[in-house]
Amino acid sequence: MSATSSPSADVSRAPFSFAIVVAALAGFLGLSYEILWYRVIAFESWGAPGAFGLLLAAYLLGIAGGSRVAGVFCKEGDTGKPEKLRALATFTFAANLAAYLVVPAFTYGAQKYEWPAPLAAVAIAAALTGSVLPLVAHFGIAPDDRAGQKLSYVYLSNIVGSTLGSLVTGFVFMDTMSLPTIGLVLALLGVVVSAGIFVASKPPKGELGATLLLAAVVCFAFVRGNPHAYDRPYERLLYKKTFDEKTTKFAEVIETKSGVITVTPDGVVYGGGAYDGKFNTSIVYDRNGIMRAYSIGAMHPAPKRVLMVGLASGSWAQVVAHLPGVESFTIVEINPGYLKLVANHREVAPLLSNPKVRIVTDDGRRWLLRHPDEKFDVIVQNTTWHWRAHITSLLSVEYLELVRSRLLPGGIFYFNTTSSDDVKKTAATTFPHAMRVYNFMAVSDAPFTFDRARWERTLTEFSIDGKSKEIDRTSEAGQKLFADLAAYADTLEAPPQDHGLEKRESLLARLPAEAKVVTDDNMVPEWRQVIRFPEPP
């Protein structure tokens, strides 16, 4: 003992240090579980803009309620008494168990309820988690004139633990483990923390041994029960009421910190729970609207330099890479999991070794901002639904102006509106030349058209990796298919049809009055309907 310290100071130092450690671990577990919860709620809601806000509301409501209830267990004179840690250990264990069960509440609940209902489980788990911090603070902080200062340190420790939980779980665990594995790791860590708190309460030897044995049994139960509790979570979230215990199973599930990619046995790709395309490069067996990718050949006479934002199944990219005249093709994809997906499918895998193709892992808008000297003849963007969270950053007028600055003279920006009138209006009012191609918009600062001669040449001469994609016109069915496809160019002069071409003037004249120009501030597509309940496939 130093000459300047007092016996009372030494007595209070150990509980305080203990409180610092427990507060950090509680923060780590709490934020780690929240990341897991958001992954499942985002998947089930297809990334609805309101999903995170509702999750956060339930989480904060639970923490507030848990903190208030914890006050009942805090009595004057309890500070530093080891036996009081047993209640804390019990709360920590209950909180860990409740937090672990939130994911099954969403996945199994999806077969009966829409995604907001299991938020009640989030609130309960957060209430138990939220009770830990006030209980440990009450235990470790003596009611003296330094109580406020010490509380700030305990709170800081909790914040540091929360931050580490976000970083480690969000950037490391999510990139290296599956959702069930992460759930199991967090559950086991929670049991260890609970047992550690109980050991610190200095129980009698017999009670200590029994408790540690119980902790071991609980860990064993988590390991054995985890495959059942976390059984096919993404299948349950996507298929909901149509999920079949015996037959429903994805052919592929790829998880990264950037998101979840799932593929059905018949080759339908879902990104973060939302439809993201199908594997197909054939215009003859067009089951994914691939004709729209071939259409680029009819709109630009010589697209030498092409940029694509978003890779998805690689089907569009494989077609664009083989358009006549393409010399260099840059693809920007934010989720590296799509490269793994493409590598697994022979129809599109050659894209990864095509010398003309360069694939960059980055956010599309950020990449454009960082590469002001890169210019392109065509920029293609077959991105996701216009109402999903954060999509405004790729649809707003500010983004379109950014794209415009990266177009070479005569360049075309060709992108998916997913049939949003707001997005169509934004495109047609930002650029002086525009054309609707089914649910896509093609826009430019220079005049362009859907040239029938180039379109027929594209249909006639197109090949991928040396294999002709020409329509077999030796049969009557082949002749009819070619004629129908060739006639698509004529729809530009016909009355507007949903699947056809449409001039800018016609589109602007018939867009509804409530259609608005999308900006980074108004985020119109995302906030027209904050909560959605997507139907299962």
Side-chain angles (χ1 to χ4, degrees):
M1 181 185 306
S2 68
T4 57
S5 63
S6 65
S8 60
D10 282 348
V11 168
S12 62
R13 192 170 296 145
F16 177 64
S17 300
F18 185 81
I20 291 285
V21 173
V22 173
L25 290 171
F28 181 93
L29 285 169
L31 263 293
S32 294
Y33 274 121
E34 188 182 7
I35 290 173
L36 250 62
W37 303 341
Y38 181 62
R39 170 145 289 190
V40 294
I41 195 173
F43 190 94
E44 185 175 1
S45 68
W46 292 23
F52 181 75
L54 289 175
L55 171 65
L56 186 61
Y59 189 76
L60 295 178
L61 179 65
I63 287 180
S67 300
R68 180 67 184 87
V69 172
V72 176
F73 297 88
C74 299
K75 305 295 183 185
E76 189 173 347
D78 287 348
T79 302
K81 292 182 177 178
E83 62 272 19
K84 297 300 177 184
L85 289 176
R86 294 174 195 175
L88 179 59
T90 303
F91 267 98
T92 304
F93 175 79
N96 180 56
L97 179 61
Y100 171 82
L101 292 175
V102 167
V103 170
F106 274 99
T107 56
Y108 283 87
Q111 296 170 61
K112 293 185 178 180
Y113 311 105
E114 295 293 352
W115 59 266
L119 288 172
V122 171
I124 293 171
L128 290 165
T129 304
S131 67
V132 173
L133 183 62
L135 286 174
V136 77
H138 181 72
F139 168 78
I141 300 175
D144 55 23
D145 56 354
R146 294 186 60 200
Q149 181 187 23
K150 290 181 177 178
L151 179 61
S152 69
Y153 292 148
V154 172
Y155 191 53
L156 174 63
S157 175
N158 186 253
I159 292 174
V160 170
S162 301
T163 304
L164 287 174
S166 302
L167 293 175
V168 174
T169 302
F171 288 91
V172 180
F173 290 178
M174 285 287 184
D175 224 23
T176 56
M177 303 179 190
S178 67
L179 181 76
T181 302
I182 299 172
L184 178 60
V185 169
L186 295 179
L188 295 179
L189 179 59
V191 174
V192 171
V193 172
S194 304
I197 295 173
F198 187 81
V199 170
S201 71
K202 299 179 180 178
K205 285 187 178 179
E207 191 174 338
L208 175 62
T211 302
L212 292 179
L213 178 60
L214 177 62
V217 171
V218 171
C219 287
F220 179 75
F222 271 126
V223 173
R224 292 299 300 269
N226 194 63
H228 304 286
Y230 281 59
D231 173 49
R232 292 169 289 173
Y234 299 119
E235 286 91 335
R236 296 179 189 277
L237 294 170
L238 180 67
Y239 287 95
K240 301 176 183 175
K241 295 178 181 178
T242 63
F243 176 86
D244 187 293
E245 288 286 351
K246 296 181 178 178
T247 60
T248 305
K249 186 173 178 58
F250 286 130
E252 293 174 83
V253 177
I254 299 174
E255 298 176 80
T256 72
K257 65 177 182 291
S258 302
V260 184
I261 305 164
T262 54
V263 184
T264 64
D266 59 346
V268 182
V269 181
Y270 291 88
Y275 173 78
D276 209 8
K278 300 173 182 175
F279 292 101
N280 172 58
T281 59
S282 170
I283 200 170
V284 177
Y285 307 103
D286 191 355
R287 67 188 194 115
N288 57 346
I290 199 68
M291 184 269 288
R292 294 168 296 174
Y294 282 77
S295 297
I296 296 171
M299 291 185 287
H300 196 288
K304 295 180 180 178
R305 289 177 53 79
V306 180
L307 169 69
M308 175 176 278
V309 177
L311 175 61
S313 73
S315 301
W316 271 65
Q318 182 71 329
V319 170
V320 172
H322 291 83
L323 285 171
V326 172
E327 296 177 356
S328 69
F329 183 26
T330 302
I331 303 170
V332 181
E333 170 56 56
I334 195 170
N335 187 349
Y338 282 103
L339 275 70
K340 299 178 183 176
L341 179 71
V342 169
N344 293 337
H345 294 266
R346 287 188 299 176
E347 187 172 3
V348 293
L351 186 72
L352 302 179
S353 56
N354 189 326
K356 292 188 297 186
V357 177
R358 175 178 56 141
I359 302 178
V360 180
T361 302
D362 201 346
D363 172 75
R365 183 163 178 165
R366 181 172 57 193
W367 188 88
L368 285 168
L369 287 168
R370 289 177 174 176
H371 297 81
D373 296 330
E374 297 269 14
K375 307 285 184 180
F376 301 93
D377 294 301
V378 174
I379 297 178
V380 189
Q381 187 174 292
N382 186 16
T383 38
T384 189
W385 298 95
H386 61 273
W387 50 263
R388 296 184 74 194
H390 313 303
I391 191 62
T392 297
S393 66
L394 295 178
L395 298 176
S396 68
V397 65
E398 291 86 352
Y399 177 71
L400 266 58
E401 292 291 355
L402 174 62
V403 170
R404 163 184 270 153
S405 69
R406 304 297 187 266
L407 290 174
L408 288 163
I412 294 175
F413 179 37
Y414 184 52
F415 69 107
N416 198 340
T417 69
T418 59
S419 301
S420 164
D421 288 337
D422 297 316
V423 180
K424 293 174 191 171
K425 183 172 183 177
T426 305
T429 55
T430 303
F431 285 84
H433 303 279
M435 179 195 305
R436 181 178 63 82
V437 183
Y438 181 21
N439 58 353
F440 267 59
M441 286 297 296
V443 293
S444 176
D445 282 328
F448 68 98
T449 188
F450 198 97
D451 186 88
R452 174 152 183 162
R454 286 201 301 265
W455 178 228
E456 290 188 359
R457 191 162 57 248
T458 300
L459 296 174
T460 304
E461 301 175 356
F462 204 87
S463 66
I464 293 180
D465 295 328
K467 298 178 181 178
S468 174
K469 292 292 181 179
E470 182 181 358
I471 299 170
D472 180 8
R473 283 181 281 173
T474 59
S475 67
E476 185 177 342
Q479 293 171 11
K480 183 178 186 308
L481 175 61
F482 183 88
D484 289 344
L485 286 171
Y488 189 74
D490 302 332
T491 62
L492 187 60
E493 302 298 333
Q497 308 168 32
D498 285 345
H499 289 71
L501 304 171
E502 185 175 11
K503 294 180 179 179
R504 175 178 183 267
E505 295 73 18
S506 169
L507 179 65
L508 287 175
R510 70 180 188 84
L511 280 174
E514 57 267 27
K516 293 184 177 180
V517 172
V518 182
T519 71
D520 286 347
D521 287 336
N522 66 29
M523 302 174 73
V524 170
E526 299 183 47
W527 295 105
R528 280 200 181 276
Q529 186 176 343
V530 178
I531 299 176
R532 294 173 184 262
F533 305 108
E535 291 294 323

